[in-house]
Every structure is written in structure tokens, then in C-alpha cells.
């Protein structure tokens, strides 16, 4: 089993952020910001040194918790420091982005890394829909079409026009072509049945993020069945689980740290006002929204959506067994780990990576 | 007569019987009169826009080659005229493939993105051999593009009839608050 380090590039003082999203830009101090990215890149280098085989990047906006709104820029910088790891773009949020631009960024990354790119396609968390003004009801359709267009742009040898439902491009001729043919390893990160089916039909890998083991297994069971129906079997590297982690020397130390976070109300997560969250989710589900009811229910301006639990918390042995369960039960061949919990310092992360590299990673590689 | 715009000469369609109804009706809404090739014999408009669908593409292509003065724009939809297989052109279409460079008019070749009837290499053959050729893929459509994505096909075809190779220039306003 392989491990991936999520290069989240969190702002060093993220523990001071308000719980709501977006984080006001006034919280950003350039000096802190510059150092935060240097620290984040150092963490990526150290992860590679400790034996991580992938470094991943994810598109998140308007927050310093995962401070990579333009992940291709970050991936390019890290790719020049880390010369062995796969550079995993997990990934561009397709409903938000021009798919042709995404294809151009991905093929360029595949070139400058000489074929080390892994690409994952995501829809994004509900708050992300608001960044570039995407109608949440169109998100799934835009993602499905965007994936097809990206793959076509990477494989079609002649300039072409694209007449889609959401996209119309009359001249597409992406340059450079990918180093990996027909295109770089690709996976779809999703929880929804129709998108899982899409991945199975297209021969694409699957990514699942932050879900408990049993819920993840429900998705991977269906995926593997649909792959079988389509006449192929996914390879271990085509099944990726992203989880958040806190690793300590002992289970008790890890639990004490986690309890302190909860008691201080500093659990991770990005929160939206409930009125906004309710409308986004209803719109994504294709429901008519009665705004009078929405606002009647949230006059206090309460917030929801934050504080998901950590996926892996414990000492090395416990964490190893928890990760192994995702491999044994779900078939996951890569675990993509989010280390940058809000209250941790750069020094804390480096110590965790050192411990993970010594005590957990060698055992994962034997699986 | 010329086909410089809607309301001018009719567009002639070669295609499976009934297979072009959606295209014909959609073009009519955009101001174009389209008629089946078998109905055009007594009033063949010259020169005219010519559309060939699926197996009808071969007849359209042959007319563009053999009577170029009668065709001023050619649109091939899911054409089966050129049939690559295992890296080669099958013998039935090899002769036609060798004449593609003779096509004189602007040509649009349209495929459904999921068309499994024709090998994907066909798009490159048209694009490379026909001097003024554009390729278009219609998303979420197979071989029967007219039935599966009629609105998308009509928009594409009408745009190409009106603007030929300049159809690539965006001309829809995206101003939100003028």
C-alpha cells in the first residue's frame, strides 16, 4: 500500500481563523504567508524523504486551512523540489473550472514531471460552488462533461470543436500532449452512484474522502462490481482514500490531544451559515428552494457543516491498523493523508512525518 | 443561388430515411429550408449546402467531389464514408479516402463523442486530407447524433452553414449588466 502526503500548505496561524467560511483576507499577513508556503514545501520534501510515494494537491478556495486555490501552481513548485514522488492533482474542481484550461495545466504538469502526474477529478465541497458562481444544480453535469472533455482534449490528435451541454469550444488543440499515453493515471473522487458508475464505465480509478470505513466500503463495493460488469479490475493504485490523521507516540497521547481540540472547539472543518448550506444542498439535489422557509429557520445566523472527526488518530500501531482496514475491506491501494490539523505547527507536522515514516510507512509498504 | 444565409437556397440532406427529421425541423426554426436529396432531383439548388448523415455521407462526399460546382459547403455527420480498421483504411473506402484532398468547399465533420460505429482515427483522416476541414464532437451522443442531441446538432450545423470556417469565432454576447 502506498502513502500520499496532502500538500495543503496551511497558513501557519490558521488556529486563529473564525469557524466560518470564507476566511476574510484580512487574516493574511504576507510574511506569515510566505513562510507558510516554504514550510509546506519543506514538509512535502520530507515526506518524500521518509518514503511517501505521492504528494497530492487539492483545490480549495478562500481559506488558509488548505491554501491552494490554484493547485497546479503549487504542484509545479513542489515538483521541482520533489523529483521522485508522483504528483497527484486531487484535484481540479471541474464544475468551477474551464475544462480546457484544466487539461492544459494537467498536460503541462505531466511534461515538467516527465510523466509523474496522477489526476483526480472532483466536484468540490458545497461552499466551493460559490467561488466562481456555479449553480449547484449544474455541478454534477458540469463535472461529467468536464471529465469527458479533458480526456478528449488529451487524446485527440487534431484540433476539434466541442458542442456540449455546458461547454461550447469551437477550437480545442491542447498543447503539450501528455507524456503518459493515452493520458495520465486518472481517478474520480465521488460519493454519488452515477459518478461512481461513470468511473467504472470509463476505466477510471476511484477516490473517496473522509468517510468512515463502512460508508467507504459501500461505495467501493459498488465500484468494484460495476468495474467487473464493465470487464475490468481496478489496480490498487486506482483506489485512493483520503483521510485526516493525527499520529502520536502513543494512543493515549493522541487521544489527549484530540480531546483538547474538541474541548477548545477547535475541531477541523469549514462552516457555512446554515441558510447558505441548506440552499446549496437543496439546489444540488434539484429541489425547488423556498427562501422564506430557509431564512425563517436561520435568523440566528447559526453555522453548520464543520467539525468532522479525524479519520486516523492514535499511536503508530493503531493508525497502521486503521489504514490497513481501508485496504482490506475497501481495496484501497493508496492512502492520501491530511496532516495539517489547525492547531499544529510546522514543527509538529515534521515530527509526525518522521514518526509516520519510521513506524507506519514501512508496514504499509509490505501490504 | 447561394446559401449565404437562412432563407436562401435549401440545404440538401443525404441520410437514412427519417433519420434527419430532427435536423430538418431544427434548421427550419433557424430559417433554413432543408430537403431530402431524393426530393431535390427536380429542383437541385446550385450551389447549395450539402449534409450527409451516416451512410448518406458517402453520397454527399461523392457529389462534392464529382460536381464541386453544385456544393458550396459540406457537412458530414457521423460519416461512415471512410472506415479505418486496425490502422488501415478498408478497401471499400480507400479510393474515396485518396480523393479527399480534392474537396474544394469548406467542410465540417461531426461525430458523436461516443460513436462506436466508426473508428476514432477517421476524424484525423478527414481533418488532414480535406483542405478546409473542421472537426466537431457532440457531447453525450453516439452515432445517431440527430436523434440524441438534436439541439446541439442544429446549433452546430446552422452556425457552420451561416459562417463556414469562421464558426469558431465566438459571437454571442456574454455581457451581464450592460
Amino acid at each position: 500500500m502506498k502513502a500520499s502526503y496532502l500538500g495543503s500548505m496551511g497558513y501557519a496561524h490558521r488556529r486563529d481563523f473564525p469557524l466560518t467560511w470564507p476566511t476574510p483576507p484580512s487574516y493574511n499577513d504576507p510574511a506569515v504567508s510566505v513562510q507558510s508556503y516554504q514550510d509546506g514545501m519543506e514538509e512535502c520534501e520530507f515526506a518524500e524523504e521518509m518514503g511517501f510515494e505521492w504528494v497530492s494537491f487539492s483545490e480549495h478556495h478562500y481559506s488558509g486551512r488548505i491554501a491552494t486555490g490554484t493547485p497546479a501552481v503549487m504542484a509545479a513548485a513542489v515538483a521541482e523540489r520533489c523529483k521522485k514522488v508522483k504528483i497527484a492533482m486531487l484535484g481540479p474542481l471541474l464544475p468551477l473550472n474551464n475544462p480546457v484550461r484544466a487539461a492544459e495545466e494537467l498536460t503541462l504538469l505531466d511534461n515538467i514531471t516527465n510523466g509523474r502526474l496522477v489526476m483526480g477529478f472532483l466536484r468540490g465541497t458545497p461552499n466551493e460552488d460559490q467561488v466562481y458562481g456555479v449553480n449547484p444544480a449544474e455541478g454534477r453535469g458540469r463535472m461529467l462533461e468536464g471529465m469527458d472533455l479533458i480526456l478528449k482534449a488529451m487524446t485527440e490528435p487534431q484540433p476539434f470543436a466541442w458542442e456540449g451541454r455546458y461547454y461550447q469550444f469551437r477550437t480545442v488543440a491542447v498543447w503539450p500532449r501528455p507524456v503518459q499515453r493515452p493520458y495520465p493515471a486518472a481517478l474520480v473522487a465521488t460519493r454519488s452512484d452515477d459518478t461512481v458508475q461513470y468511473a467504472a464505465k470509463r476505466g477510471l480509478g476511484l477516490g473517496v474522502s473522509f468517510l468512515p470505513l463502512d460508508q467507504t466500503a459501500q461505495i467501493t463495493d459498488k465500484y468494484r462490481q460495476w468495474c467487473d460488469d464493465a470487464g475490468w479490475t481496478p489496480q490498487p493504485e486506482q483506489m485512493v482514500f483520503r483521510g485526516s490523521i493525527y499520529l502520536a507516540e502513543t494512543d493515549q497521547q493522541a487521544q489527549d490531544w484530540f480531546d483538547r481540540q474538541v474541548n477548545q472547539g477547535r475541531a477541523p472543518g469549514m462552516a457555512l451559515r446554515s441558510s447558505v448550506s441548506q440552499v446549496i444542498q437543496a439546489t444540488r439535489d434539484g429541489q425547488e428552494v423556498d427562501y422564506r422557509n430557509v431564512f425563517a429557520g436561520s435568523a440566528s445566523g447559526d453555522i453548520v457543516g464543520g467539525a468532522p472527526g479525524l479519520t486516523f488518530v492514535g499511536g503508530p500501531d493503531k493508525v497502521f491498523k486503521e489504514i490497513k482496514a481501508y485496504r482490506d475491506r475497501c481495496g484501497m491501494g493508496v492512502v492520501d493523508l491530511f496532516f495539517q490539523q489547525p492547531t499544529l505547527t510546522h514543527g509538529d507536522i515534521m515530527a509526525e512525518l518522521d514518526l509516520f515514516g519510521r513506524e507506519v510507512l514501512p508496514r504499509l509498504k509490505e501490504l | 443561388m447561394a446559401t449565404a444565409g437562412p432563407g436562401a437556397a435549401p440545404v440538401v440532406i443525404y441520410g437514412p430515411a427519417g433519420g434527419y427529421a430532427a435536423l430538418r425541423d431544427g434548421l427550419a426554426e433557424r430559417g433554413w429550408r432543408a430537403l431530402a436529396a431524393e426530393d431535390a432531383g427536380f429542383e437541385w439548388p446550385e450551389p447549395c449546402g450539402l449534409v450527409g448523415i451516416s451512410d448518406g455521407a458517402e453520397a454527399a462526399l461523392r457529389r462534392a467531389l464529382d460536381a464541386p460546382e453544385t456544393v458550396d459547403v459540406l457537412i458530414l455527420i457521423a460519416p461512415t464514408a471512410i472506415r479505418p480498421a486496425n490502422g488501415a483504411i478498408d478497401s471499400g473506402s480507400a479510393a474515396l479516402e485518396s480523393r479527399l484532398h480534392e474537396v474544394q468547399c469548406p467542410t465540417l465533420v461531426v461525430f458523436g463523442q461516443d460513436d462506436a460505429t466508426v473508428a476514432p482515427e477517421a476524424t484525423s483522416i478527414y481533418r488532414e486530407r480535406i483542405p478546409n476541414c473542421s472537426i466537431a464532437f457532440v457531447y453525450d451522443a453516439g452515432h445517431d447524433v440527430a436523434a440524441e442531441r438534436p439541439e446541439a446538432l442544429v446549433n452546430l450545423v446552422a452556425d457552420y452553414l451561416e459562417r463556414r470556417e469562421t464558426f469558431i469565432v465566438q459571437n454571442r454576447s456574454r455581457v451581464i449588466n450592460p
Side-chain angles (χ1 to χ4, degrees), chain A residues 16-347:
Chain A
D16 300 331
F17 291 168
L19 286 174
T20 50
W21 179 93
T23 306
S26 60
Y27 280 81
N28 185 274
D29 178 319
V32 177
S33 189
V34 166
Q35 188 58 48
S36 298
Y37 286 107
Q38 292 300 318
D39 292 346
M41 287 189 280
E42 186 182 29
E43 290 162 18
C44 293
E45 287 179 288
F46 190 51
E48 179 179 69
E49 186 182 329
M50 295 307 294
F52 282 74
E53 289 169 271
W54 292 16
V55 172
S56 75
F57 301 93
S58 181
E59 179 177 339
H60 286 282
H61 295 271
Y62 299 172
S63 173
R65 292 184 173 90
I66 299 179
T68 48
T70 51
V73 174
M74 201 68 249
V78 170
E80 279 305 288
R81 295 188 178 213
C82 300
K83 296 292 190 182
K84 294 181 296 185
V85 290
K86 296 269 191 184
I87 299 296
M89 288 281 287
L90 311 174
L93 303 181
L94 290 195
L96 276 62
N97 289 291
N98 178 331
V100 178
R101 173 66 180 231
E104 289 179 315
E105 290 178 346
L106 291 166
T107 57
L108 182 53
L109 278 170
D110 199 40
N111 274 256
I112 65 175
T113 61
N114 193 18
R116 288 187 287 137
L117 178 69
V118 176
M119 53 187 191
F121 304 126
L122 285 77
R123 183 177 178 185
T125 51
N127 58 299
E128 311 287 2
D129 286 350
Q130 314 320 304
V131 174
Y132 297 153
V134 170
N135 182 340
E138 297 179 353
R140 182 165 298 154
R142 285 181 177 275
M143 174 162 166
L144 293 174
E145 183 176 339
M147 287 189 285
D148 275 2
L149 176 49
I150 287 172
L151 298 182
K152 176 62 84 177
M154 288 183 173
T155 52
E156 188 62 27
Q158 292 292 326
F160 65 90
W162 179 266
E163 201 74 21
R165 293 186 194 281
Y166 299 101
Y167 300 106
Q168 181 191 70
F169 295 101
R170 291 287 168 78
T171 305
V172 180
V174 164
W175 188 279
R177 301 188 78 184
V179 173
Q180 300 173 80
R181 300 293 176 92
Y183 46 76
L187 59 91
V188 185
T190 183
R191 301 175 180 183
S192 65
D193 279 0
D194 57 351
T195 314
V196 173
Q197 280 180 307
Y198 172 96
K201 279 184 185 175
R202 289 283 197 276
L204 304 178
L206 177 72
V208 179
S209 300
F210 302 121
L211 284 183
L213 184 66
D214 55 342
Q215 292 179 38
T216 302
Q218 289 174 16
I219 296 170
T220 53
D221 285 351
K222 285 188 276 194
Y223 171 67
R224 289 194 283 190
Q225 180 59 54
W226 286 329
C227 289
D228 192 54
D229 293 345
W232 69 288
T233 303
Q235 297 300 303
E237 280 198 34
Q238 291 182 289
M239 297 184 65
V240 180
F241 178 76
R242 171 178 287 167
S244 54
I245 183 172
Y246 181 74
L247 176 69
E249 294 284 353
T250 68
D251 292 351
Q252 190 58 52
Q253 288 174 3
Q255 190 61 49
D256 290 346
W257 173 86
F258 184 75
D259 291 343
R260 283 199 302 276
Q261 310 310 303
V262 174
N263 292 336
Q264 294 168 13
R266 302 307 307 179
M270 290 184 290
L272 288 167
R273 289 194 177 280
S274 64
S275 54
V276 176
S277 178
Q278 189 178 339
V279 168
I280 294 171
Q281 197 55 56
T283 309
R284 277 189 164 197
D285 294 341
Q287 300 169 10
E288 294 289 330
V289 176
D290 185 334
Y291 292 92
R292 293 166 301 181
N293 292 341
V294 170
F295 295 127
S298 62
S300 62
D302 56 329
I303 55 175
V304 296
L310 294 184
T311 323
F312 309 115
V313 181
D317 193 56
K318 179 170 179 283
V319 162
F320 166 73
K321 288 175 179 170
E322 289 175 346
I323 296 174
K324 181 175 181 292
Y326 278 85
R327 175 193 173 278
D328 294 344
R329 175 65 187 87
C330 308
M332 294 298 182
V334 181
V335 61
D336 183 40
L337 295 168
F338 175 66
F339 278 81
Q340 285 194 340
Q341 308 309 331
T343 58
L344 298 180
T345 66
H346 172 56

